[in-house]
Structures are given as C-alpha cells and as structure tokens.
Amino acid sequence: MCAIKNGFIKTGVAIKIMTHMGYVIICYSMAFLLLAFNLILSWSEWQKTLKRIEIKKSKSE
Amino acid sequence: MLKYKISYFYRLASPKVSYGLVDRLLPWIGSMAGILLLYGVIGGLFFAPMDYQQGDGFRMIYIHVPAAFLSLAIYSVIFISSVIYLIWHIKLADFCANSSAGIGATYTLIALISGALWGKPMWGTWWIWDARLTSELILLFLYCGYLGLRSAIRDRERSAKAGAILAIAGMIDVPIVHFSVEWWATLHQGATLAKWARPSIDNDMLYPLLGMIAGFGFFYLTVLCVRLRTDLLKREWQLKS
C-alpha cells in the first residue's frame, strides 16, 4: 500500500516537473521565434533596399 | 578636449559617418549577442540549480526578466531620441527612435507572454488585472500606437514629429511599470535585481540572468544597426519606405 502511495506521489511529482518544463520549453521557443522573426524581417528589408538601389543605379546608367 | 568631443558627436550625426560606424560595429555586436544568449540559455536551462519552491518553472526568469527590462530600456531610448529630435532636429535620432520601436514591442510581447506562461503554474492564472501587468500591457499599446502613427503619416517630417510627441507623452508609463510593485499591493513580486541592494538570488542563478540581459541588449543593438543601416540607405538614395 505504502509502495503504491509512494509510486503515486513520485508519478505526481514527475508530471508536475514535466508540466513546469513544458511551460519553460514553450516560453523559450516563443521568445526565440519572435526574436528570430524580428531579425529576419529587418534583414530582408535591408536586402530589399539593396536590390532597389541596384535597380535605381542600373536605370540611371 | 570638450570641443573635440562635441565635434565628434556632431560628426556622428552625419549619415555617412554613422553608416560607416554601424556597418563596422554590426558583426561585433551580433557576435556578442550570439555568445551571450548561448551562455544565458545553457546556463539558465542546464547549470542553474532548481528553485526550492518553483522547481524548474523558475527558469522562465531568463526570458521574462531580460525581456521586461529591455522593454522599458528601449522605450527610454525612444524617449531620449525623440527629445533630441524635437530640440536639435537630428535625423539620426529619429531613425534611432523609429528603428527601436519594433524590437521594443517584440520584447514587451515576450515579457507579457512569458509572464502569462509563468503565472499559470505559479499563481494558477494566466492573467490578472494587476498594476504591473496592466501597465506593461499599456506599454505594448504605446509601442503599437507609435508604430501605427509612424506608418499612417506619409510625410517623414510630420510623422517624426507626431511620433516624438507620442513617445514623450507615453514616457509616463515607464516609471509606473517600474514602481508599480512598490506603489500598489500587487500579486507580482518585487525586483529581483535592485539597483543598490545585493541581488536576492544565488550567484549560480544570477550570472546566466545577467548574461541573458546583456544578450538581449546586444540583440536589440544588432537589430537596431540593421534597421539604421536600411533607413540611412533609403534616405541617401531617396527611396520611399
């Protein structure tokens, strides 16, 4: 009986820890996805600007 | 000496000089951001000991605190740049404010979402209309309002002026966010890293946190450099946004 009870407690603790780690993983993934999105957006804008300048240069030539 | 320093700052305000500086600094700042973020994530997830009350859930501190700190710091940068723009009409200051708003809004959003994710297992709720949470949400609205206003006005000069006025008026929210946990009885805990006091967390937990704060700071500078470079080029070649 005691062993079963201990088993339940251990399983309960394990699930609780897993749940906490689950929140942590979601939190880190969300943060780095948003940051990466921001950097990619800025970088693509920079590349787009370079292309526009190339077009303008070639037109003026 | 002072004259030399002042003339150096005036030189920095010139688009050509600032473009060269930003271009040279970008790889260094980007590398620093990468190294510090890697150190913070590995230290925070694998080496920092588990909290005796919160267990592994406390590891969200390494995202939540740096994001919240940067959300306030970036708004302060926008405020200072706006004041400089309104007084001296330095265009670079306006570029700096405009380029900071997007990443500032992202950090604020990260702080709010990570706070909700942390709040659910610890407080038992995703959201509460607490002074700290509500004022941080208002900060997000201010960022969104600033971005919306800037993109709504076509004329660059008018857009810069309107944005600067909004940023200066919105600055009132920054001290409210910071001191809300002291001024009102809130569910949110007080500052973990007070300015003059000893930090209330152990060094093993503290160093990755400082690494993440610095990493988030350098990441902001990286994005700022990329956007500044784009804005300066657009201005130089008279391209429309």
Side-chain angles (χ1 to χ4, degrees):
Chain A
M1 191 66 191
C2 192
I4 294 168
K5 201 179 161 189
N6 273 344
F8 270 123
I9 290 168
K10 275 182 186 164
T11 315
V13 169
I15 289 169
K16 210 174 169 186
I17 289 168
M18 279 294 285
T19 317
H20 281 190
M21 260 336 253
Y23 281 113
V24 172
I25 291 162
I26 294 168
C27 179
Y28 276 67
S29 321
M30 171 275 302
F32 284 104
L33 270 175
L34 279 174
L35 291 182
F37 175 71
N38 223 292
L39 188 63
I40 290 166
L41 211 72
S42 309
W43 198 263
S44 66
E45 180 75 18
W46 155 248
Q47 291 297 321
K48 226 164 66 185
T49 309
L50 285 181
K51 267 184 195 158
R52 282 170 72 188
I53 289 168
E54 291 265 311
I55 293 166
K56 208 173 177 182
K57 259 186 192 170
S58 62
K59 268 184 187 171
S60 64
E61 277 168 10
Chain B
M1 188 71 184
L2 186 72
K3 212 174 172 183
Y4 173 75
K5 274 183 184 169
I6 290 171
S7 71
Y8 177 73
F9 276 108
Y10 269 111
R11 257 175 12 104
L12 262 187
S14 118
K16 241 182 199 164
V17 176
S18 47
Y19 184 87
L21 187 74
V22 162
D23 211 36
R24 258 180 288 142
L25 283 179
L26 187 61
W28 297 101
I29 293 172
S31 313
M32 278 301 286
I35 292 165
L36 285 164
L37 286 175
L38 204 67
Y39 166 72
V41 169
I42 292 173
L45 279 180
F46 304 109
F47 291 105
M50 216 190 270
D51 184 69
Y52 80 105
Q53 270 184 325
Q54 300 191 18
D56 275 319
F58 108 96
R59 294 185 200 283
M60 279 182 263
I61 198 174
Y62 298 107
I63 296 291
H64 180 70
V65 171
F69 176 78
L70 260 294
S71 71
L72 296 180
I74 294 171
Y75 199 89
S76 306
V77 169
I78 296 174
F79 168 75
I80 293 167
S81 306
S82 301
V83 171
I84 291 172
Y85 177 75
L86 281 185
I87 297 173
W88 290 290
H89 294 281
I90 295 173
K91 286 210 170 62
L92 190 69
D94 172 52
F95 289 162
C96 186
N98 195 25
S99 305
S100 298
I103 183 79
T106 308
Y107 277 135
T108 315
L109 188 66
I110 292 172
L112 285 168
I113 299 175
S114 61
L117 285 167
W118 201 0
K120 183 62 184 165
M122 300 306 152
W123 296 344
T125 179
W126 299 102
W127 183 264
I128 181 171
W129 292 101
D130 171 89
R132 169 60 72 86
L133 276 70
T134 311
S135 51
E136 186 75 13
L137 183 67
I138 292 169
L139 188 68
L140 179 67
F141 292 155
L142 278 168
Y143 273 119
C144 294
Y146 180 87
L147 286 166
L149 186 69
R150 292 303 305 257
S151 57
I153 303 172
R154 285 255 166 230
D155 181 49
R156 180 103 211 187
E157 200 98 326
R158 279 183 58 215
S159 152
K161 244 181 210 170
I165 291 165
L166 176 68
I168 291 167
M171 184 63 192
I172 189 121
D173 191 45
V174 173
I176 294 175
V177 176
H178 184 72
F179 293 109
S180 55
V181 284
E182 290 171 27
W183 291 344
W184 296 288
T186 62
L187 191 58
H188 196 284
Q189 68 167 73
T192 311
L193 304 171
K195 207 169 159 191
W196 307 116
R198 253 182 75 85
S200 56
I201 58 172
D202 188 71
N203 282 347
D204 287 345
M205 296 169 167
L206 178 68
Y207 294 140
L209 180 60
L210 293 177
M212 279 301 264
I213 293 173
F216 270 37
F218 274 101
F219 186 85
Y220 156 61
L221 290 177
T222 309
V223 174
L224 179 69
C225 283
V226 175
R227 290 198 175 177
L228 268 181
R229 216 162 56 159
T230 313
D231 271 356
L232 286 166
L233 264 189
K234 274 183 184 168
R235 184 178 175 261
E236 195 70 12
W237 285 85
Q238 292 171 338
L239 298 172
K240 277 180 190 165
S241 299

